[in-house]
Amino acid sequence: MPERADRGSWRAASDGLVVRLEKLGLLVGSLIAGTVGSIVAFAPGIVTRDAAVQTAAKPLAAILASAVLLTGPVAVSEGTLIARSELSFLAGVYLFSTALLPPVLRKIRAGGGPVSQVWICFALFQLFRSLCFAGRLLLSDKRTDGDD
């Protein structure tokens, strides 16, 4: 019985650490997204001297920032899932999301869609991965509570 209690206390400590790291990941992601979005919107000369590119990039600032926002939490979730040996799940999400992205991007290009659609695609790609990883962590917490 002490072994079960040790596992339970270890898991509770682990879950608490994951929550703190996810918050930190969201904070870091927010800071990076805000920085990148601000540079593109207000100081595009840092990235390029081409006036046409600067003008074209400004409307993309918010979309770009939203695509970058979830990078921190996704990295934390990936690391947690790796540490918890959820490798098959990670591989499945990687395979599905990575296999789906190129055809969607090709469709945008073939349809002559604007660059904003590409960045929306990347934002949705990160959102999908974030939801998958966070969902797995939440479900695995419930699934393993009584399993031993």
Side-chain angles (χ1 to χ4, degrees):
M1 199 60 133
E3 185 177 304
R4 181 178 282 213
D6 288 344
R7 258 190 257 173
S9 63
W10 178 89
R11 185 58 182 247
S14 171
D15 291 344
L17 177 61
V18 169
V19 168
R20 287 193 307 275
L21 289 173
E22 287 289 352
K23 288 177 182 177
L24 184 60
L26 190 57
L27 174 66
V28 170
S30 297
L31 291 172
I32 293 170
T35 301
V36 169
S38 295
I39 288 171
V40 172
F42 305 114
I46 292 173
V47 179
T48 181
R49 297 199 188 284
D50 187 322
V53 173
Q54 289 178 11
T55 302
K58 282 186 181 188
L60 302 175
I63 299 168
L64 174 60
S66 67
V68 171
L69 176 66
L70 292 174
T71 301
V74 165
V76 171
S77 296
E78 285 173 328
T80 302
L81 290 168
I82 289 168
R84 293 184 178 176
S85 299
E86 297 273 1
L87 304 179
S88 295
F89 176 78
L90 280 168
V93 173
Y94 290 156
L95 181 63
F96 180 76
S97 61
T98 305
L100 190 60
L101 189 60
V104 172
L105 293 174
R106 274 192 229 104
K107 187 173 181 173
I108 291 170
R109 185 180 69 188
V115 174
S116 62
Q117 288 181 353
V118 173
W119 285 108
I120 289 169
C121 216
F122 284 122
L124 292 173
F125 174 80
Q126 281 295 78
L127 179 62
F128 171 77
R129 290 169 31 133
S130 180
L131 291 173
C132 287
F133 298 157
R136 182 63 171 211
L137 289 173
L138 290 172
L139 291 176
S140 67
D141 287 349
K142 303 217 183 328
R143 190 181 70 231
T144 58
D145 281 348
D147 297 348
D148 282 303

